[in-house]
Amino acid sequence: MTLHTRKLMVILSLLLSPLVLASALPDHRVPGGIISLPVAAATDEKPSVMFNSKPVMVVNHDDQWVAVVGVPLNQEQSLTLEVNGETTTATITPYPYEEQHIEIKETRKVNPQKNDMDRIGKEYNQMTPVYKSHSKHLAAQWTEMILPTEGPYSSAFGLKRFFNGQARKPHSGIDIAAPEGAPIIAPAAGKVVLTGDFFFNGNSVFIDHGQGLISMMCHMSRIDVKEGDDIQQGDLIGAVGKTGRATGPHLHWTVSLNNARVNPKLLLRADQPR
Ligand SMILES: [Zn+2]
C-alpha cells in the first residue's frame, strides 16, 4: 500500500466514523427485514404505532421517537402502519433468498406421525402467545445484540427449505456451527418467558427483550435458566447441542419482532462478525 493510499484511507475512515458511532437503527425494507421509521409524538406521550391493529416497538433514539417494525417473510410490496391514528405505507423490496436442500435420516422429523402432530400442536400453542406478546416494561431504548455463541455461520436466514426434497417453511433464524457443550449467552437483556423440549426445536429458551422483540435459542444440550429469570446481555443460558430436528450440533437463533421472524444479523452490534 502506498503512503498516498494509506492517507486516503485514514481520511475516509475519519469521514465515516461519525456514521458508525451513531449506531443507526436497522432499516432494511425486505421480507424478513426491519423498518425504522421516525415518528412524531402527538402529545407529550410516546406515539402509538400499530401494524395489523397490534402495537409495534417504539423506542427513544437520539431524542427522537422511532417505530421499529419487523417485516414478515411473506410480506410483499408494501406494509401499512397506523401512526397516531393515520396510515403510512412503506414500500417492501423483494429479496432473492436462496434454496437449501437438507437430507434428514429420521424421516419422522420430516413427516411427523399422528401422535407427533398432537405434540406439535400443543407446542405451537405455547410458542404463539410468546411471539404475539408485547411487554411494555422492557426496551425503552434500542439495544444492539451480541452473538449468542461463537462459530461460523452454517445456515443463513430466509433460506427456502426442502427437507428430503419436500418444501417446508423458510429458515426463520440463523445457524451457528459450534461444538456440543459450547456456551450460549443472552444476545440482549430480557426475561426468560418459555423453556422446553420441543419436537422440531429441541431444548429451547425464549427470551422476551420487550415490546415484541423475542429471541429463541434451539437444539440446546443443556438449559441453565428457568422461566421468570431476568437476565442481562452476555449471561449464560445454556449449551449448544443437537436436540430436535438437527443434522449436527449447532445453535439455531430466531429473532422475532411484532410476531415477524427477522434476520438476526440486522440487530447485531457493529463489532460482531457477520
Ligand atoms: Zn436453523
Side-chain angles (χ1 to χ4, degrees):
M1 200 189 299
T2 66
L3 190 64
H4 181 72
T5 359
R6 220 174 291 161
K7 266 187 193 160
L8 201 69
M9 284 180 73
V10 169
I11 293 167
L12 264 176
S13 64
L14 282 174
L15 281 172
L16 291 170
S17 59
L19 296 172
V20 176
L21 290 175
S23 75
L25 294 171
D27 194 39
H28 188 49
R29 301 182 178 193
V30 300
I34 294 175
I35 295 173
S36 288
L37 186 75
V39 286
T43 59
D44 285 347
E45 287 179 21
K46 187 171 161 175
S48 136
V49 184
M50 316 279 268
F51 170 47
N52 286 339
S53 312
K54 300 270 172 22
V56 299
M57 175 182 275
V58 178
V59 292
N60 195 315
H61 190 77
D62 292 341
D63 291 326
Q64 163 81 60
W65 291 112
V66 182
V68 188
V69 190
V71 183
L73 265 167
N74 61 2
Q75 191 82 25
E76 286 164 359
Q77 293 165 0
S78 66
L79 183 151
T80 301
L81 297 171
E82 222 175 274
V83 182
N84 298 323
E86 301 207 356
T87 53
T88 301
T89 301
T91 303
I92 305 298
T93 312
Y95 189 86
Y97 290 113
E98 285 173 24
E99 282 188 5
Q100 185 187 37
H101 292 261
I102 298 170
E103 292 303 315
I104 300 277
K105 287 195 193 84
E106 201 185 342
T107 52
R108 191 173 158 189
K109 291 279 193 235
V110 179
N111 293 306
Q113 297 166 2
K114 167 76 180 71
N115 55 335
D116 294 334
M117 290 308 287
D118 295 341
R119 179 179 163 190
I120 291 163
K122 276 194 196 120
E123 293 175 357
Y124 180 82
N125 290 336
Q126 281 183 290
M127 293 188 263
T128 304
V130 171
Y131 283 132
K132 289 187 171 173
S133 66
H134 184 94
S135 47
K136 293 196 178 84
H137 57 290
L138 295 160
Q141 304 277 327
W142 181 253
T143 352
E144 293 170 314
M145 292 190 173
I146 55 172
L147 283 170
T149 198
E150 276 178 33
Y153 291 111
S154 54
S155 189
F157 171 83
L159 293 172
K160 294 170 187 151
R161 288 194 136 174
F162 296 82
F163 288 100
N164 302 350
Q166 301 171 35
R168 290 291 183 269
K169 280 188 184 160
H171 193 217
S172 58
I174 53 174
D175 291 350
I176 301 166
E180 176 122 16
I184 299 174
I185 55 172
K191 188 183 266 301
V192 177
V193 284
L194 179 64
T195 64
D197 176 14
F198 299 95
F199 184 79
F200 292 120
N201 298 330
N203 291 324
S204 304
V205 171
F206 289 74
I207 304 170
D208 181 358
H209 304 295
Q211 293 203 64
L213 184 62
I214 311 289
S215 272
M216 172 180 67
M217 258 69 61
C218 304
H219 310 306
M220 298 165 69
S221 59
R222 199 185 73 230
I223 295 176
D224 294 337
V225 287
K226 55 183 194 311
E227 288 171 22
D229 283 355
D230 286 308
I231 48 173
Q232 296 304 314
Q233 186 173 55
D235 281 357
L236 183 71
I237 58 166
V240 171
K242 54 178 191 318
T243 53
R245 185 171 66 187
T247 48
H250 72 279
L251 171 68
H252 171 102
W253 175 33
T254 285
V255 174
S256 179
L257 183 56
N258 51 264
N259 196 25
R261 312 303 174 259
V262 296
N263 189 347
K265 286 191 182 180
L266 295 173
L267 296 100
L268 288 178
R269 209 167 65 192
D271 64 352
Q272 299 292 291
R274 315 252 151 178

